[in-house]
């Protein structure tokens, strides 16, 4: 059994400096009243990756480090901006020999499995650092940040060896004060520091080997270049963005992070929807195959996510009830059942995600996005070719809403409104994809579709909740318990469903006004 892991949210700013750089005084800036004594540590880290550096290309770092207060295995997963999540695992007793490079812990290899996709992890670089660190403190003595002055010696490993040497400054936030990093950054830059050339020591050590990411970056075309952007490359940029989101969410699901199942499902849904909307830009055979696998992933994730959503919804509703209305072990029954549903659904999803077929699907998805099988239509100008699919998705939404609003209230209308919600999501993602080309028009259209999606989503949540509450009431009766509270909750969900439907019906004519769609002509 390995040592337990721990997680740490890292937010830092990095700067390159000359060997003769002198750290300027930082007191008096952003609430920094004093600095602590300088401590020196010698750090020796071996970094692991696949032979084609898949982790580094996704800004993930995995290392085994000796020295310092946090010696052990470190896995860093990127977040937005400068933030990263660092998962740590102390070295086992058998691993503490400095001459031993160890074997990557199984839980870490599993977390990055969607990125490595079966490629073995092996040492790719060794980075030795002399770190001189000091705390930046508030007037009350609280540590606001740590400034680390690092002298770095790096050596790549493998078929060829490159040796490099540099000095850098890292400032890591240790408090929630948002002023510290920007303020210290200004002082350091005024003294001659430069923004770091790479996001990590490993990236700098590997240099040009990781200059090209595995998936293309989404870049908005300059104003004058929009006319030259092709339909295929525009859609490809959106697919690449959400393929990266899918890989990132996969790692979070394996970690058990809250909302990670939702994030993975949304990424898969976006990819499937856009492939369906713009399928005319690609070879139909691989496109349909990917759509089917993405649909399978979504269906597999549904039980885990539904358990999460219903648990949150019912817990809030139960908490809002008066004590006299709580008859029987309602909270215990609801929480026990839905937590079990969530955990069972998550374990079932993880079993599927650890299967070789899932990794093959990810390989196929990444290969598709990296080098799409374009049809001739994909090479047409985006400004002309993307408008028709969006227009088609818009008409589909209008037809489905009109059909739902002319269907008598009941199960048939509930199903029709749910179908309209799906059409709203398809329109939203189609417009989001085309935002780099059509700008504010597509952005506004996506926002309107999102509002429709959210309104109809609340209605659908109410419909599903009523069915779940009926099942709870039946189970309570069979157990000899009162079903009164479940009936009360069901009545509340029914009332909310009617209110949501009536509000949407009232607002739809204004939302559907044609002038919002003139740019689609």
């Amino acid at each position: 059994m390995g040592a337990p892991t721990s997680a740490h949210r890292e937010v830092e700013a990095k700067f390159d400096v000359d060997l003769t750089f002198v750290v300027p005084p930082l007191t008096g800036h952003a609430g920094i009243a004093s600095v602590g004594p300088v401590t020196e540590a010698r750090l020796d880290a071996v970094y692991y990756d696949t032979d084609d550096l898949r982790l580094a290309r996704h800004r993930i770092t995995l290392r085994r480090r000796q020295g310092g207060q946090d010696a052990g295995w470190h896995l860093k997963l990127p977040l937005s901006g400068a933030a990263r999540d660092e998962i740590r695992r102390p070295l086992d007793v058998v691993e503490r020999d400095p001459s031993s490079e160890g074997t990557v812990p199984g839980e870490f290899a599993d977390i990055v499995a969607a990125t490595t996709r079966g490629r073995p992890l092996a040492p790719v670089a060794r980075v030795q650092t002399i770190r001189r660190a000091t705390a930046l403190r508030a007037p009350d003595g609280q540590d606001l940040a740590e400034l680390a002055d690092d002298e770095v010696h790096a050596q790549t490993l493998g078929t060829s060896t490159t040796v490099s040497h540099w000095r850098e400054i890292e400032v890591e936030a240790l408090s929630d004060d948002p002023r510290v990093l920007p303020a210290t950054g200004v002082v350091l830059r005024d003294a001659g520091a430069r923004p770091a050339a790479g996001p990590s020591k490993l990236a700098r050590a590997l240099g040009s080997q990781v200059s090209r990411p595995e998936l293309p970056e989404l870049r908005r075309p300059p104003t004058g270049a929009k006319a030259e952007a092709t339909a295929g490359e525009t859609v490809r940029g959106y697919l690449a963005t959400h393929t990266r989101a899918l890989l990132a969410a996969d790692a979070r699901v394996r970690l058990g992070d809250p909302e990670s199942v939702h994030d993975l499902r949304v990424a898969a849904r976006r990819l499937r929807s856009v492939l369906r909307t713009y399928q005319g830009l690609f070879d139909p055979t691989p496109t349909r195959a990917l759509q089917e696998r993405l649909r399978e992933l979504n269906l597999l994730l549904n039980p885990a996510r539904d358990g999460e959503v219903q648990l949150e919804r019912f817990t809030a509703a139960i908490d809002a009830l008066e004590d006299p209305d709580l008859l029987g072990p309602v909270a215990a029954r609801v929480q026990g059942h839905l937590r079990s549903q969530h955990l069972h659904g998550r374990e079932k999803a993880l079993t599927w995600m650890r299967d070789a077929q899932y990794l093959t699907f990810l390989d196929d998805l990444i290969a598709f996005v990296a080098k799409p099988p374009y049809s001739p239509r994909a090479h047409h100008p985006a400004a002309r070719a993307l408008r028709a699919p969006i227009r088609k998705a818009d008409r589909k939404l209008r037809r489905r809403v009109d059909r739902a609003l002319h269907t008598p209230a009941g199960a048939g209308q509930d199903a029709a409104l749910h179908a309209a919600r799906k059409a709203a999501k398809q329109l939203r993602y189609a417009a989001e994809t085309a935002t780099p080309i059509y700008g504010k028009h597509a952005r506004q259209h996506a926002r309107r579709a999102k509002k429709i999606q959210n309104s109809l989503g609340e209605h659908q949540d109410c419909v599903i909740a009523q069915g779940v509450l009926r099942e709870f009431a039946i189970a309570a009766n069979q157990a000899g318990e009162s079903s009164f509270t479940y009936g009360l909750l069901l009545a509340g969900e029914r009332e909310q469903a009617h209110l949501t439907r009536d509000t949407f019906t009232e607002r739809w004519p204004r939302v559907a006004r044609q002038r919002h769609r003139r740019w689609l002509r």
Side-chain angles (χ1 to χ4, degrees):
M1 180 71 67
T5 59
S6 62
H8 168 69
R9 179 65 51 86
E10 179 183 80
V11 182
E12 65 180 16
K14 296 168 65 70
F15 303 91
D16 291 337
V17 296
D18 298 329
L19 296 178
T20 58
F21 180 80
V22 176
V23 177
L26 294 169
T27 54
H29 300 278
I32 300 171
S34 63
V35 298
V38 176
T39 60
E40 183 174 303
R42 294 179 179 269
L43 313 175
D44 190 349
V46 175
Y47 288 80
Y48 289 73
D49 207 331
T50 61
D51 56 356
D52 56 356
L53 304 176
R54 293 184 177 184
L55 298 185
R57 293 177 191 277
H58 286 273
R59 296 177 53 228
I60 298 171
T61 58
L62 171 61
R63 72 187 178 202
R64 177 186 181 275
R65 190 164 77 181
Q66 293 277 355
Q69 296 180 346
D70 60 349
W73 288 94
H74 301 167
L75 174 63
K76 295 189 179 185
L77 303 174
L79 295 168
S80 59
R84 292 189 293 180
D85 272 344
E86 181 177 342
I87 299 93
R88 299 173 179 173
R89 180 183 184 275
L91 297 178
D92 290 335
V93 174
V94 72
E95 294 181 294
R96 291 175 185 164
D97 179 358
S99 65
S100 169
E101 291 182 345
T103 302
V104 175
E107 63 266 37
F108 281 13
D110 180 62
I111 291 168
V112 298
T115 303
T116 58
R117 301 188 302 285
R119 294 282 187 116
L121 291 163
V124 295
R126 183 178 186 182
V127 177
Q128 296 172 300
T129 303
I130 300 174
R131 169 164 290 180
R132 299 176 180 90
T134 186
L136 308 179
R137 292 174 175 159
D140 61 0
Q142 177 192 5
D143 289 348
L144 298 175
E146 180 184 73
L147 184 144
D149 187 344
D150 291 345
E151 185 179 342
V152 186
H153 296 260
Q155 175 185 356
T156 60
L157 306 173
T159 55
S160 61
T161 299
T162 302
V163 177
S164 52
H165 174 214
W166 70 90
R167 184 181 169 203
E168 67 180 34
I169 303 289
E170 290 184 0
V171 185
E172 180 180 353
L174 301 179
S175 73
D176 296 330
D177 191 330
R179 303 173 299 163
V180 178
L181 292 189
T184 54
V186 169
V187 177
L188 291 170
R189 286 194 296 273
D190 288 345
R194 305 172 300 280
S200 65
K201 290 180 174 65
L202 176 63
R204 178 154 181 174
L206 295 174
S208 61
Q209 296 182 63
V210 291
S211 59
R212 294 185 62 188
E214 187 175 32
L215 290 165
E217 298 286 347
L218 177 62
R219 294 185 176 88
R220 292 188 181 278
T223 303
K226 289 182 180 180
E228 301 174 7
T230 65
E233 286 301 289
T234 302
V235 175
R236 179 194 186 212
Y238 190 86
L239 293 174
T241 295
H242 294 289
T243 298
R244 280 193 295 274
L246 186 146
L247 296 177
D250 176 290
R252 305 285 172 179
V253 170
R254 295 169 193 262
L255 275 169
D257 281 3
E259 293 296 309
S260 58
V261 172
H262 171 68
D263 293 341
L264 182 58
R265 194 167 68 159
V266 168
R269 183 186 296 145
R270 274 187 157 102
L271 291 168
R272 179 170 173 249
S273 179
V274 168
L275 285 172
R276 183 168 68 248
T277 301
Y278 297 106
Q279 59 189 346
L281 304 179
F282 308 100
D283 181 337
T285 300
T287 304
R288 288 170 186 158
L290 284 179
Q291 288 182 55
E292 182 56 33
R293 297 308 300 273
L294 288 162
R295 176 179 177 274
E296 185 179 357
L297 176 58
N298 253 315
L299 291 174
L300 195 71
L301 294 170
N302 282 347
R305 179 55 181 168
D306 290 346
E308 277 184 325
V309 171
Q310 291 165 6
L311 178 60
E312 181 178 348
R313 186 181 190 91
F314 292 148
T315 298
I318 291 169
D319 288 345
L321 292 176
E322 300 290 337
D323 287 343
D325 292 329
L326 282 171
L327 303 182
V330 177
R333 182 179 288 278
V334 167
Q335 292 174 6
H337 174 79
L338 294 178
R339 283 199 179 99
S340 176
Q341 176 183 329
H342 167 67
L343 292 174
H344 178 72
R346 181 177 175 275
E347 287 304 313
K348 185 176 180 181
L350 282 171
T351 299
W352 189 79
M353 290 162 63
R354 288 169 178 147
D355 187 84
Q357 289 187 356
Y358 172 68
L359 299 183
T360 300
F361 151 66
L362 292 178
D363 266 333
D364 293 343
L365 173 62
I366 290 169
F368 183 100
V369 177
K371 194 174 182 180
Y374 287 136
S375 70
R377 195 183 306 174
H379 302 291
H380 293 173
R384 176 164 55 89
L386 299 184
R387 189 171 272 114
I390 300 174
R391 189 163 54 235
K392 182 178 178 181
D394 185 85
R395 288 197 300 266
K396 180 179 179 181
L397 170 62
R398 291 160 68 85
R399 285 197 306 270
R400 288 193 175 183
V401 170
D402 289 342
R403 185 182 306 130
L405 297 184
H406 287 87
T407 300
Q413 186 181 62
D414 292 342
L417 288 171
H418 184 46
R421 180 195 179 206
K422 291 180 179 179
K425 283 191 285 191
Q426 184 177 3
L427 175 59
R428 173 190 171 188
Y429 302 149
E432 286 178 352
T433 303
T435 296
I437 304 301
Y438 302 126
K440 69 175 184 179
H441 296 297
R443 262 194 309 276
Q444 290 171 353
H445 217 68
R447 281 198 295 266
R448 291 189 192 99
K450 182 180 179 180
K451 288 180 180 178
I452 296 169
Q453 172 192 334
N454 289 343
S455 179
L456 296 178
E458 172 63 17
H459 179 270
Q460 178 66 9
D461 288 346
C462 292
V463 171
I464 293 174
Q466 291 174 58
V468 175
L469 288 166
R470 287 190 191 94
E471 293 175 3
F472 278 129
I474 292 170
N477 282 329
Q478 291 174 343
E481 301 166 2
S482 171
S483 60
F484 170 81
T485 302
Y486 301 111
L488 194 63
L489 293 171
L490 191 150
E493 294 288 354
R494 181 175 294 164
E495 182 180 358
Q496 179 63 25
H498 291 166
L499 176 63
T500 303
R501 182 198 61 203
D502 292 346
T503 301
F504 177 78
T505 302
E506 180 184 344
R507 293 178 178 174
W508 170 247
R510 177 169 52 84
V511 173
R513 280 187 298 189
Q514 188 64 40
R515 69 181 184 85
H516 292 152
R517 293 165 173 79
R518 289 174 183 169
W519 67 280
L520 288 176
R521 295 175 183 170

